[in-house]
Amino acid sequence: MAALNRRFQSVRRSVGALERVLLQGPREHSRRDLAEQQGIPERLISTYWRSLGFGPVDEDTVVFTDEDAFAIGDLVAMVDDGAISERAFTSISRGLGYHMGRLAMWITEALVEEAKTRDGKDDGEAREQMLETVPQLIETLETQVLFTFRRQLAAYSARAGSEVLQASENGTHDEVFPLNRAVGFADLVQFTRLSRSLGGAELADVVTQFEVTCRDIISVGGGRVVKTVGDEIMFLADAPEDGAQIAVSIAEAIRDDPDLPSARVGMCWGSMFSRYGDVFGPTVNLSARLESVADPGGVLVDLATAEAVERALPGGFSASEIRPTELHGIGTIEAVALTRGTSEPLDMGL
């Protein structure tokens, strides 16, 4: 019992020290304080806090630091100045909460895993070590977050500019699907069965290896990851031949990895809507359905996509014979298995 109490006190001290570093000051303000002293509408305080992913607090609970007040006030000021609407305020704060929450989880889990694999710690010890390590890294991590955000914002802004030019050239408008993209889905075959036979750590290793392999291929192939859900990853590319290269490369790489089961990939080229980091539309739905019926280790596309890839890069990829395929919620389509032709494999720099 004495040892357990000592460990409890040690963890409590580490959490307190880390909170002091991260929050940069004590909790001194309630929702009412921010409304009365700084003129921030309580509804926007509640919206901001909820959108960041934190639980509701009543108006007199002291939970906010000076830094919290500044952060909320800065974004609210953009609403007051007319720079953004309340709807945009909610959307932006929700995006910040979602993605920064995932990033925080990612970083802390990476440090825990490091303590386990490099230092031989058990899970509890590894998490204690993480609590002590984060304060030493916070300055560099903050710099990396800002750098990455600026680079990504620059890339997406440039992409948005090209989309405006494309829409102008094609005479399209918001009531039609304006973005022509390659969209693909990849997942591991028989993952559910695999999850029953592996321990938690082993299963996590499989998912991590799959995701790392796919992310590297997508980046080198000129695409970008839209999202991951368990053993499935969704990607976009700006040209049909890039989408084909990424799809085929993922299938090849996973097939050649002895530690992973085969992957199946579905890919389509077509128009779609983009909203809040995700894409929607019939092309996206078709790609997802194609993935679900692709052969293990294979890439399945629709006939229109196969033709678009061939026009863009003649002979670069080989299309098998057309086979009518029934897809749930879509109907019968002409599906084609895509494999590598004369195109060179991606140079992964290994």
Side-chain angles (χ1 to χ4, degrees):
M1 181 62 70
L4 182 62
N5 286 336
R6 285 195 299 272
R7 189 171 192 181
F8 175 81
Q9 292 299 327
S10 174
V11 170
R12 188 171 182 177
R13 285 194 299 271
S14 295
V15 170
L18 179 56
E19 181 172 286
R20 286 192 293 274
V21 170
L22 294 176
L23 300 191
Q24 298 181 303
R27 304 170 192 264
E28 296 182 323
H29 309 289
S30 67
R31 206 174 72 206
R32 188 195 298 273
D33 293 336
L34 297 188
E36 293 179 350
Q37 298 170 15
Q38 302 190 33
I40 304 174
E42 285 198 50
R43 72 177 186 285
L44 293 185
I45 298 171
S46 297
T47 296
Y48 185 89
W49 205 241
R50 181 176 63 251
S51 296
L52 289 192
F54 302 129
V57 292
D58 64 50
E59 61 183 5
D60 292 313
T61 299
V62 175
V63 67
F64 302 109
T65 67
D66 285 341
E67 287 293 316
D68 294 331
F70 293 146
I72 299 170
D74 280 349
L75 199 58
V76 169
M78 296 178 69
V79 177
D80 293 339
D81 294 343
I84 61 174
S85 66
E86 288 194 18
R87 179 178 179 180
F89 170 91
T90 302
S91 178
I92 290 169
S93 55
R94 186 180 297 128
L96 289 169
Y98 175 75
H99 292 288
M100 291 299 100
R102 284 179 60 87
L103 179 60
M105 181 173 63
W106 189 305
I107 289 172
T108 54
E109 290 299 331
L111 294 175
V112 169
E113 186 65 21
E114 176 83 350
K116 289 180 179 179
T117 57
R118 187 188 65 182
D119 303 330
K121 306 284 188 181
D122 64 30
D123 190 74
E125 293 170 335
R127 293 183 185 279
E128 285 187 65
Q129 182 167 307
M130 176 272 293
L131 292 173
E132 297 170 358
T133 302
V134 168
Q136 304 167 28
L137 305 179
I138 187 62
E139 186 174 336
T140 299
L141 292 173
E142 284 184 336
T143 301
Q144 290 297 314
V145 168
L146 182 58
F147 163 77
T148 306
F149 170 70
R150 287 179 176 273
R151 292 295 297 184
Q152 291 286 1
L153 189 59
Y156 274 87
S157 297
R159 206 169 286 127
S162 69
E163 289 160 2
V164 171
L165 294 176
Q166 177 184 320
S168 299
E169 290 172 359
N170 297 338
T172 56
H173 50 85
D174 202 42
E175 281 70 34
V176 298
F177 297 103
L179 303 180
N180 284 313
R181 293 286 185 271
V183 57
F185 292 83
D187 75 348
L188 293 173
V189 176
Q190 295 183 335
F191 180 75
T192 301
R193 180 182 300 177
L194 186 68
S195 66
R196 297 193 187 104
S197 62
L198 295 179
E202 294 174 302
L203 189 63
D205 287 342
V206 169
V207 173
T208 298
Q209 182 60 30
F210 169 73
E211 184 175 333
V212 168
T213 300
C214 291
R215 283 183 177 273
D216 287 349
I217 288 171
I218 292 165
S219 296
V220 173
R224 52 204 175 276
V225 175
V226 177
K227 57 187 174 184
T228 59
V229 180
D231 69 318
E232 183 177 69
I233 193 164
M234 177 184 178
F235 66 86
L236 290 176
D238 294 335
E241 66 273 25
D242 292 340
Q245 177 69 272
I246 291 169
V248 171
S249 296
I250 287 175
E252 292 172 341
I254 303 300
R255 181 193 62 209
D256 294 340
D257 190 329
D259 296 324
L260 294 176
S262 295
R264 54 190 168 208
V265 187
M267 195 273 290
C268 288
W269 170 258
S271 55
M272 60 200 74
F273 279 126
S274 176
R275 288 293 185 275
Y276 307 125
D278 207 342
V279 289
F280 310 90
T283 302
V284 179
N285 297 339
L286 177 56
S287 179
R289 293 291 186 270
L290 287 168
E291 176 220 50
S292 67
V293 298
D295 292 333
V299 177
L300 200 62
V301 303
D302 62 310
L303 179 59
T305 296
E307 292 171 343
V309 171
E310 178 62 20
R311 286 194 301 271
L313 189 64
F317 298 90
S318 298
S320 69
E321 63 182 72
I322 301 168
R323 66 185 194 209
T325 302
E326 181 72 22
L327 299 179
H328 177 71
I330 293 178
T332 301
I333 64 106
E334 295 178 315
V336 179
L338 201 66
T339 56
R340 187 173 302 283
T342 59
S343 63
E344 291 291 329
L346 287 174
D347 181 2
M348 301 301 295
L350 301 178

